[in-house]
Amino acid sequence: MDVRAGRDLSCFDLTSINDLSDDDIKLIFELTAEFKKVGNVKLSLMKGATSFNAFFEDSTRTRSSFEIGGKKLGIDTINIGSKGSSTGKGETLHDTAQTLAALHAEVIIVRTEFSGIPAFLARHVPSAIINAGDGTHEHPSQGLLDAYTMTERLKSIKGKTILVVGDVSHSRVFGSLVRIAPRLGAKVIVAAPRTFLRPGFQEAFGVECYLNVEEALPKADVVVTLRLQEERNAGKCVPTLREFSKTYGISEKRFALAKKGAILMHPGPFMRDIEVHSALISKPDTVIWSQVENGLYVRMALQWLLGVRMDGKKKPYVHI
Ligand code: NCD
């Protein structure tokens, strides 16, 4: 694994795609490819290190891939959540994170319903903090794996158009994708009901917005479908799920309107026949399972890069 060759990220934590320089993204992708080449093998690059998956919201793929990825690197990985941890007794997340840091956690991976918590913890806790989804803000490891999967399939996404369909308003997956795509030369456009396009949305993110998905599809090299975030009240932004599915759900007929060679993505978990029709799930142009697999290797790269520094620099943080 000399591909890292003493190179380190310019950041100590990953709370947003904006933490990463272009070289950082390149390094993460190179290591991801390297881990993928090695495959399903247990390495001991990080033997003796400790990581905590502190997930205060539900997760299947993100938590499992951080955990398996950590284990493949030789890390002792520990899962904690709101049930069974002292946050349920009223301890603040800051004190919980400080406790995990005192147990010599190299890396703390945090998922929370509150936007901004990982960035706050990053400033106050010496362990490396990885944001595994904070409220409606960002999910940077997902943005990285999405961009990696697009690049793997299309060779490069420079000059390509990525169409994001659905609940862009509550989606942290969108929050990270819209930040990483232009860094790699791709353009993001959106198709969603008006209720998801708050005033200023288009200007804030610099994206073209369409109310009619059929008008947007012919421009798309990549179609990214998103789950309606019902836990964040997104269900109240549409008349019914059935009506959303009829107007925005990606069916075979609709996907055929996208550019030739276009790929279809979903970060999961998907609601079959709501955002994406069942018939499309296992088609060759649908890369949902590659996204899951690549997530494992991206998260190995992140834990290795953030958990072990090779330049000997110490993370600056504020004691409170
Ligand atoms: C996403 C999330 O939690 O933001 N899931 C994931 O990590 N793949 C998307 C979602 O829950 O809809």
Side-chain angles (χ1 to χ4, degrees):
M1 282 284 163
D2 66 348
V3 66
R4 187 168 170 184
R7 289 180 295 168
D8 270 305
L9 297 180
S10 61
C11 52
F12 290 87
D13 307 277
L14 181 61
T15 65
S16 160
I17 290 294
N18 292 345
D19 292 341
L20 301 170
S21 67
D22 292 349
D23 281 347
D24 290 338
I25 296 172
K26 207 166 139 224
L27 176 57
I28 293 166
F29 283 3
E30 277 174 26
L31 281 175
T32 299
E34 198 64 25
F35 283 128
K36 191 165 180 177
K37 219 185 312 156
V38 173
N40 203 16
V41 169
K42 187 149 175 139
L43 306 164
S44 50
L45 288 168
M46 292 184 71
K47 211 162 169 205
T50 303
S51 76
F52 283 91
N53 279 316
F55 276 58
F56 301 102
E57 276 194 332
D58 295 343
S59 174
T60 298
R61 58 220 87 211
T62 305
R63 198 184 62 189
S64 311
S65 55
F66 269 118
E67 183 178 349
I68 307 165
K71 289 195 159 103
K72 285 197 187 302
L73 291 166
I75 307 177
D76 294 318
T77 58
I78 292 118
N79 293 315
I80 68 160
S82 30
K83 275 212 191 89
S85 83
S86 290
T87 50
K89 295 181 182 172
E91 183 173 67
T92 65
L93 259 179
H94 171 258
D95 290 332
T96 299
Q98 194 70 52
T99 302
L100 306 181
L103 293 170
H104 305 294
E106 270 79 7
V107 184
I108 304 175
I109 300 144
V110 186
R111 169 168 285 193
T112 161
E113 67 186 294
F114 302 108
S115 302
I117 290 271
F120 171 82
L121 295 178
R123 286 195 296 279
H124 298 298
V125 173
S127 314
I129 302 289
I130 301 180
N131 177 6
D134 62 332
T136 57
H137 175 228
E138 273 214 53
H139 189 355
S141 64
Q142 181 74 42
L144 285 160
L145 78 88
D146 288 343
Y148 182 87
T149 306
M150 292 175 201
T151 309
E152 184 179 62
R153 280 297 290 249
L154 305 175
K155 305 297 168 235
S156 156
I157 57 169
K158 202 163 177 214
K160 304 281 187 207
T161 298
I162 301 165
L163 166 64
V164 187
V165 185
D167 184 4
V168 286
S169 166
H170 302 95
S171 171
R172 53 205 181 197
V173 172
F174 173 75
S176 289
L177 182 59
V178 77
R179 287 172 172 91
I180 197 168
R183 301 275 296 277
L184 301 169
K187 176 176 168 183
V188 175
I189 62 172
V190 162
R194 204 186 292 281
T195 42
F196 289 133
L197 306 172
R198 294 160 301 199
F201 177 90
Q202 188 155 337
E203 296 74 21
F205 289 112
V207 290
E208 252 168 53
C209 296
Y210 295 82
L211 297 177
N212 181 344
V213 69
E214 276 144 18
E215 204 184 311
L217 276 162
K219 302 178 191 295
D221 298 287
V222 180
V223 180
V224 177
T225 48
L226 295 175
R227 183 177 65 88
L228 287 182
Q229 305 274 301
E230 291 210 78
E231 68 277 35
R232 293 179 234 289
N233 267 336
K236 300 210 165 57
C237 296
V238 294
T240 61
L241 289 184
R242 198 152 156 252
E243 155 30 75
F244 173 81
S245 168
K246 268 175 95 175
T247 38
Y248 290 94
I250 301 300
S251 58
E252 281 184 286
K253 197 166 151 219
R254 283 208 172 116
F255 188 57
L257 298 173
K259 279 195 192 160
K260 194 165 175 279
I263 56 170
L264 178 64
M265 304 177 76
H266 194 303
F270 48 83
M271 289 191 290
R272 274 177 188 269
D273 302 318
I274 304 287
E275 306 102 40
V276 55
H277 284 213
S278 280
L280 282 169
I281 304 290
S282 49
K283 291 274 187 236
D285 293 330
T286 303
V287 298
I288 294 175
W289 308 122
S290 301
Q291 287 174 269
V292 177
E293 190 194 4
N294 288 336
L296 169 64
Y297 299 114
V298 163
R299 290 170 177 134
M300 283 176 78
L302 289 175
Q303 291 184 86
W304 192 36
L305 286 163
L306 291 165
V308 180
R309 287 202 78 86
M310 294 187 164
D311 60 7
K313 279 195 204 137
K314 276 268 191 225
K315 173 180 165 181
Y317 74 101
V318 187
H319 292 269
I320 55 168

